[in-house]
Amino acid sequence: MEKEPLLQLRVFDLNCWAIRYLSKLRQERVQMIADTLSQEGYDLVLLQEVWSETDYRTLKQRLSACYPSSHYFRSGVIGSGLCVFSKYPILDTFLYQYSLNGYPYMLQHGDWFCGKSVGLLVLKIQEIVFNIYVTHLHAEYCREKDAYLPHRVVQAWELGQFIQHTSKAADVVLLGGDLNMHPEDVGIRLLRGWTGLRDSFTDAERFEGCEDGCTLVPDNYFTNKKELQPFPLGIRIDYILYKGQSNFAVKCDRLVTTTGKAPGKSIPYSDHEAVIATLYVKRHGEAKAPNSNTVEPALVDIMNEARTEVRVGLHAAQRQRYSSGRMAILALLLLLLQAVMGLSSLVGWASPQPFPKFSFSVLGSLAVLVLLVSGVLHIFHAIEVKVLQGTEDQMRLALQSLQDRLSTK
Amino acid sequence: MEKEPLLQLRVFDLNCWAIRYLSKLRQERVQMIADTLSQEGYDLVLLQEVWSETDYRTLKQRLSACYPSSHYFRSGVIGSGLCVFSKYPILDTFLYQYSLNGYPYMLQHGDWFCGKSVGLLVLKIQEIVFNIYVTHLHAEYCREKDAYLPHRVVQAWELGQFIQHTSKAADVVLLGGDLNMHPEDVGIRLLRGWTGLRDSFTDAERFEGCEDGCTLVPDNYFTNKKELQPFPLGIRIDYILYKGQSNFAVKCDRLVTTTGKAPGKSIPYSDHEAVIATLYVKRHGEAKAPNSNTVEPALVDIMNEARTEVRVGLHAAQRQRYSSGRMAILALLLLLLQAVMGLSSLVGWASPQPFPKFSFSVLGSLAVLVLLVSGVLHIFHAIEVKVLQGTEDQMRLALQSLQDRLSTK
């Protein structure tokens, strides 16, 4: 890193919390974000939770002069919420939707409806190929009893695999987003260990912002203070991660987070803090093969830890698949019994109307309803089981390759 | 291609038609397939429609001596049906599930339940990196009025994008599978044009097998003769496609298909014919940048044709989203009306029981049922709309990049 930097890249990342009808002061905040982005003229802006396409269009219109290229990633029922604005032309995009993402019946959480994904953009700046990833993983609603942990671990694994497999021709890899994981969580250790991505917070030469780099802080007007009680400083769940490949190296010169308020304003941009990194890209003397990261023996332990979480999820999913299947069979049996009773009373084998007509019809409707709901649940949990088994398989194979590489070192 | 070949690769591809309880003589055929694969000792075996994990385990057990490495790709409710057997160690795997894949309510077709996907394997043979893809796209049930065409075009596009983005470090790219597209269909022209993959049938130096390379032929005992009536020779929907990258070139020396019967047996392996390619990998003098295929101006027309299909699908999906939404609202209004009537008769505002109790409860149950079903359909078609819009966006951007590349040529 002796040579002069080739390129400076200023990246802005923010979970915008822009849920129509639900998020407070949404429109004002979107305008505030647009103001700041126009004034600051970053090279790259990675946004999450822009759920409404109207908000995206507002931003696009306001930012078109400063950021001529932009993309909105569509998935799920509501949309992935991911969008990007770039000073440089976006050459290609690709979207990978995570195989597991919560449950459709958990309406109060709603993650399933967003079709959580990772979006990829390819940029070329001064002949340097950048693979930029933006993502938002499943939220953590209860840290003590986190039912979504296996899903988030699967997402972290798929994110890592997607980055590894798609970034081999890139000179610089950059990931920004709300990972919904604390820095010490197994998912982020797996992601970082597997991809070799560096954390801009720990690597930055200069840092300004919330203590410990937190991005969900009690000082923010919009955050739920009760949820943050166990963490007086707040938590760090929004990240900018990066690595240089081939003969390029990346350094984080400066990392800034907002501190509960948008600079010079009375309210924050969002319930999350924005993360702003200034990166320098330099050219190495020697070319490095893509993904030739040194394999850390600790990665074996991390992968085993992640596999354990996946297995815990698998057992739970198998139990739920079984219960919903059993319920569907019981409802079907009840319906069949009713059909036999109805028929036999019709053909005169039994006394007419052995039960009052009303109770009989209510019971029948209830059975149909239970059959439908438990049938759908059974299908859903069968898919969950398949994905968790598949992930476990993939992880086992990866672990084997890893151990082979370690033993031949 | 003057130099001696570095490597010979014999690849076997077959859609096995192994659906539990439905496919005829399934177990006998699985045993026959295992016999042939053990005798022939191919380098790589790519199978589709191995829906039952028991069949996979049977094959794995029978083939473990000859093919020490294997992988079964799990997705959907039933499973993707994709599996591979390899003479060489599989270093890594990754699965991409297509965003659109038919409709869950089309139970008689069942594609939705399979979670159709593309599986990736990474192999290293004599220090040459192979990216092997195996896939099975949505079936075509009625060529004249193919309701699934937009879904298949989206799948072909995602397959092409997945291959392009994940294969940049590969020396050899190989795709095998049942693409459910005739050679002149827009989806396969898009896939081949976008990825630069070559067709082993048109490129093979020697070919033996069904006329025109057909893989679904009337001579096969298991095929539906009525469906094949418009095609007296049969149709070609199973492919082995390939390309060499960096400083490697691939040549197809020989392509063979079975011809309605398994060699030396009285019945065929499946309702599809097997496709067997003998490929030679040679080293070029000069290194070629990955994905530096010559851009054909015809690709612009193909992409526009594909975009038109996606737009047709989008309009249909928007119509279905609207109808199901309207139906859900009507059912909800009926329920509200019933609730008001019920309540008013309870508090004595109206005459008690303005309708017979039985009809009232049947009507209520019906409304709940319609609300549930149309609500689920609405959600499903909303996802379909999002994916089709997203694909259209991606295609527009890709077309723009393509035109830029063509104009700077």
Side-chain angles (χ1 to χ4, degrees):
Chain A
M1 301 289 284
E2 303 298 298
K3 293 184 187 174
E4 274 301 287
L6 265 175
L7 187 80
Q8 187 207 55
L9 198 79
R10 290 171 66 228
V11 185
F12 178 95
D13 172 80
L14 175 68
N15 176 327
C16 297
W17 188 51
I19 314 166
R20 247 176 162 177
Y21 316 119
L22 285 179
S23 300
K24 287 179 199 154
L25 305 171
R26 193 187 101 244
Q27 281 163 320
E28 290 86 332
R29 292 188 291 105
V30 168
Q31 290 298 342
M32 255 173 63
I33 293 169
D35 288 341
T36 303
L37 295 180
S38 327
Q39 282 159 21
E40 292 288 335
Y42 297 105
D43 296 294
L44 197 63
V45 175
L46 310 173
L47 303 180
Q48 302 97 51
E49 289 207 9
V50 180
W51 302 120
S52 145
E53 285 198 41
T54 319
D55 287 342
Y56 168 67
R57 278 194 293 272
T58 306
L59 286 168
K60 190 177 159 78
Q61 207 176 2
R62 292 273 325 267
L63 301 176
S64 59
C66 202
Y67 305 87
S69 217
S70 69
H71 193 79
Y72 186 75
F73 290 100
R74 286 184 173 93
S75 75
V77 185
I78 309 165
S80 71
L82 307 172
C83 65
V84 283
F85 294 89
S86 164
K87 210 183 244 184
Y88 303 96
I90 297 171
L91 301 181
D92 201 359
T93 62
F94 192 40
L95 188 74
Y96 179 90
Q97 192 176 333
Y98 299 119
S99 311
L100 283 186
N101 184 35
Y103 305 100
Y105 52 82
M106 296 302 273
L107 288 172
Q108 74 278 29
H109 292 163
D111 292 65
W112 186 86
F113 291 87
C114 316
K116 297 240 165 123
S117 309
V118 46
L120 159 64
L121 309 170
V122 182
L123 307 181
K124 203 182 236 178
I125 312 172
Q126 295 177 20
E127 293 305 304
I128 307 170
V129 178
F130 285 77
N131 268 30
I132 312 288
Y133 301 85
V134 57
T135 196
H136 185 188
L137 302 196
H138 197 292
E140 183 185 73
Y141 295 97
C142 170
R143 196 162 175 83
E144 287 68 44
K145 213 177 166 187
D146 182 11
Y148 300 112
L149 181 57
H151 286 211
R152 209 176 306 105
V153 170
V154 169
Q155 293 186 344
W157 171 249
E158 291 184 349
L159 174 60
Q161 281 283 73
F162 183 71
I163 293 175
Q164 281 302 83
H165 283 289
T166 54
S167 67
K168 288 180 180 162
D171 300 312
V172 175
V173 177
L174 191 141
L175 164 66
D178 174 1
L179 303 184
N180 271 314
M181 298 186 283
H182 298 208
E184 70 281 7
D185 285 358
V186 60
I188 196 147
R189 283 184 286 129
L190 177 70
L191 171 69
R192 290 195 48 208
W194 190 244
T195 57
L197 286 168
R198 305 175 70 90
D199 185 348
S200 57
F201 173 69
T202 49
D203 279 21
E205 302 217 333
R206 292 176 288 159
F207 173 74
E208 292 159 41
C210 299
E211 210 169 326
D212 284 350
C214 292
T215 58
L216 212 61
V217 294
D219 285 345
N220 185 305
Y221 170 67
F222 298 123
T223 51
N224 184 331
K225 310 295 174 280
K226 210 176 137 198
E227 278 177 13
L228 286 176
Q229 250 172 9
F231 309 99
L233 291 178
I235 56 177
R236 182 157 80 95
I237 58 174
D238 299 84
Y239 297 83
I240 292 178
L241 307 174
Y242 58 83
K243 67 175 175 181
Q245 288 189 154
S246 56
N247 46 4
F248 291 90
V250 185
K251 194 177 78 166
C252 181
D253 180 58
R254 186 165 174 241
L255 190 77
V256 175
T257 72
T258 50
T259 50
K261 264 185 199 158
K265 309 273 173 175
S266 58
I267 55 161
Y269 294 127
S270 159
D271 61 347
H272 285 241
E273 302 307 314
V275 183
I276 304 139
T278 307
L279 305 172
Y280 283 112
V281 181
K282 294 189 181 191
R283 196 186 291 272
H284 261 316
E286 281 167 47
K288 212 168 63 174
N291 305 328
S292 65
N293 317 312
T294 359
V295 183
E296 295 291 336
L299 186 53
V300 173
D301 297 333
I302 298 172
M303 287 201 63
N304 278 321
E305 207 181 323
R307 277 180 73 196
T308 308
E309 288 305 339
V310 171
R311 273 198 292 258
V312 169
L314 181 58
H315 291 148
Q318 279 168 331
R319 271 198 310 274
Q320 284 168 306
R321 181 182 62 171
Y322 173 75
S323 331
S324 51
R326 192 181 50 184
M327 186 61 84
I329 288 170
L330 286 176
L332 192 67
L333 285 177
L334 181 61
L335 267 180
L336 285 175
L337 190 71
Q338 280 201 299
V340 170
M341 281 166 69
L343 276 176
S344 45
S345 91
L346 269 181
V347 296
W349 291 341
S351 62
Q353 291 194 318
F355 287 104
K357 217 172 163 187
F358 175 70
S359 327
F360 198 75
S361 67
V362 166
L363 195 66
S365 315
L366 210 69
V368 170
L369 195 70
V370 171
L371 178 63
L372 265 178
V373 171
S374 53
V376 169
L377 282 185
H378 183 71
I379 288 174
F380 190 81
H381 289 298
I383 295 176
E384 190 185 9
V385 166
K386 274 273 185 305
V387 174
L388 288 162
Q389 282 174 334
T391 307
E392 227 268 307
D393 276 359
Q394 273 190 36
M395 283 181 164
R396 197 178 49 238
L397 186 72
L399 199 56
Q400 207 175 309
S401 295
L402 195 69
Q403 278 163 334
D404 289 349
R405 274 161 75 192
L406 281 169
S407 63
T408 54
K409 256 171 85 170
Chain B
M1 302 287 284
E2 303 298 299
K3 294 184 186 173
E4 274 300 288
L6 265 176
L7 187 80
Q8 187 206 56
L9 197 80
R10 290 171 65 229
V11 185
F12 179 95
D13 171 81
L14 175 67
N15 175 326
C16 296
W17 188 51
I19 314 167
R20 245 175 163 177
Y21 317 118
L22 285 178
S23 300
K24 289 178 196 154
L25 304 172
R26 192 186 103 245
Q27 280 162 319
E28 291 87 331
R29 292 188 291 105
V30 168
Q31 290 298 341
M32 257 172 62
I33 294 169
D35 288 342
T36 304
L37 295 180
S38 328
Q39 282 158 23
E40 292 289 335
Y42 297 104
D43 296 294
L44 196 63
V45 175
L46 309 173
L47 304 180
Q48 303 97 54
E49 288 206 10
V50 181
W51 300 121
S52 142
E53 285 199 41
T54 320
D55 287 342
Y56 169 69
R57 277 193 295 269
T58 306
L59 286 168
K60 191 177 157 79
Q61 206 175 4
R62 292 274 321 269
L63 302 176
S64 60
C66 204
Y67 305 87
S69 215
S70 69
H71 192 79
Y72 187 73
F73 290 99
R74 287 184 173 94
S75 73
V77 185
I78 309 165
S80 71
L82 308 172
C83 65
V84 283
F85 293 90
S86 165
K87 210 181 244 184
Y88 302 95
I90 297 171
L91 302 182
D92 201 359
T93 63
F94 191 41
L95 188 73
Y96 179 90
Q97 191 176 334
Y98 298 120
S99 313
L100 282 187
N101 184 36
Y103 304 100
Y105 51 84
M106 296 303 273
L107 289 173
Q108 75 276 31
H109 292 163
D111 292 66
W112 186 86
F113 291 87
C114 315
K116 296 239 165 120
S117 309
V118 46
L120 159 64
L121 310 169
V122 181
L123 307 181
K124 204 182 235 179
I125 314 173
Q126 294 176 22
E127 292 306 305
I128 307 171
V129 178
F130 286 77
N131 267 31
I132 313 289
Y133 300 87
V134 57
T135 195
H136 185 189
L137 303 196
H138 197 292
E140 182 186 74
Y141 294 97
C142 170
R143 195 160 175 83
E144 289 67 44
K145 213 177 164 184
D146 182 10
Y148 299 112
L149 182 56
H151 286 211
R152 208 176 307 104
V153 170
V154 168
Q155 293 186 344
W157 170 249
E158 291 183 348
L159 174 58
Q161 281 282 73
F162 183 71
I163 293 176
Q164 282 300 85
H165 283 288
T166 54
S167 67
K168 288 181 179 162
D171 299 313
V172 176
V173 177
L174 192 141
L175 164 67
D178 174 0
L179 302 184
N180 271 314
M181 297 187 282
H182 298 208
E184 70 281 6
D185 285 358
V186 60
I188 196 147
R189 283 184 285 129
L190 177 71
L191 171 68
R192 291 196 47 209
W194 190 242
T195 57
L197 286 168
R198 306 174 69 91
D199 184 350
S200 57
F201 173 70
T202 50
D203 279 20
E205 302 217 332
R206 292 176 289 158
F207 173 74
E208 292 160 39
C210 298
E211 212 168 323
D212 286 348
C214 291
T215 57
L216 212 59
V217 295
D219 285 347
N220 185 306
Y221 170 68
F222 297 122
T223 53
N224 184 331
K225 309 295 175 281
K226 211 177 135 196
E227 277 177 14
L228 286 175
Q229 251 173 9
F231 309 100
L233 292 177
I235 56 177
R236 182 157 80 94
I237 57 174
D238 299 84
Y239 297 83
I240 292 178
L241 307 175
Y242 59 82
K243 66 175 176 179
Q245 290 190 151
S246 56
N247 47 2
F248 291 91
V250 185
K251 193 176 77 165
C252 181
D253 180 57
R254 187 165 174 242
L255 190 78
V256 176
T257 72
T258 50
T259 51
K261 265 183 195 159
K265 308 275 173 171
S266 59
I267 55 159
Y269 294 127
S270 160
D271 60 347
H272 285 240
E273 302 306 315
V275 184
I276 305 139
T278 308
L279 305 173
Y280 283 112
V281 181
K282 292 190 182 189
R283 196 185 290 273
H284 261 316
E286 280 167 47
K288 212 167 60 174
N291 304 329
S292 66
N293 316 311
T294 359
V295 182
E296 294 291 336
L299 186 53
V300 173
D301 297 334
I302 299 171
M303 287 202 62
N304 278 320
E305 207 180 322
R307 278 179 74 195
T308 308
E309 287 305 339
V310 171
R311 272 197 292 257
V312 169
L314 181 58
H315 291 149
Q318 280 168 332
R319 270 198 309 275
Q320 285 168 304
R321 181 183 61 173
Y322 174 74
S323 332
S324 50
R326 193 181 48 185
M327 188 61 86
I329 289 170
L330 285 177
L332 192 67
L333 284 178
L334 180 62
L335 268 179
L336 286 176
L337 190 72
Q338 282 200 297
V340 170
M341 281 166 70
L343 276 177
S344 44
S345 91
L346 269 181
V347 295
W349 292 342
S351 61
Q353 289 195 318
F355 288 104
K357 218 171 163 188
F358 175 70
S359 326
F360 199 75
S361 67
V362 167
L363 195 67
S365 317
L366 211 70
V368 170
L369 195 70
V370 171
L371 178 64
L372 265 178
V373 171
S374 51
V376 169
L377 282 185
H378 183 72
I379 287 174
F380 190 80
H381 289 298
I383 295 177
E384 191 186 9
V385 166
K386 273 276 184 302
V387 173
L388 287 162
Q389 284 174 334
T391 307
E392 227 269 307
D393 276 359
Q394 272 190 38
M395 282 181 164
R396 197 178 49 237
L397 185 72
L399 199 56
Q400 206 176 311
S401 296
L402 195 69
Q403 279 163 333
D404 289 348
R405 274 160 76 190
L406 281 169
S407 62
T408 53
K409 254 172 88 172

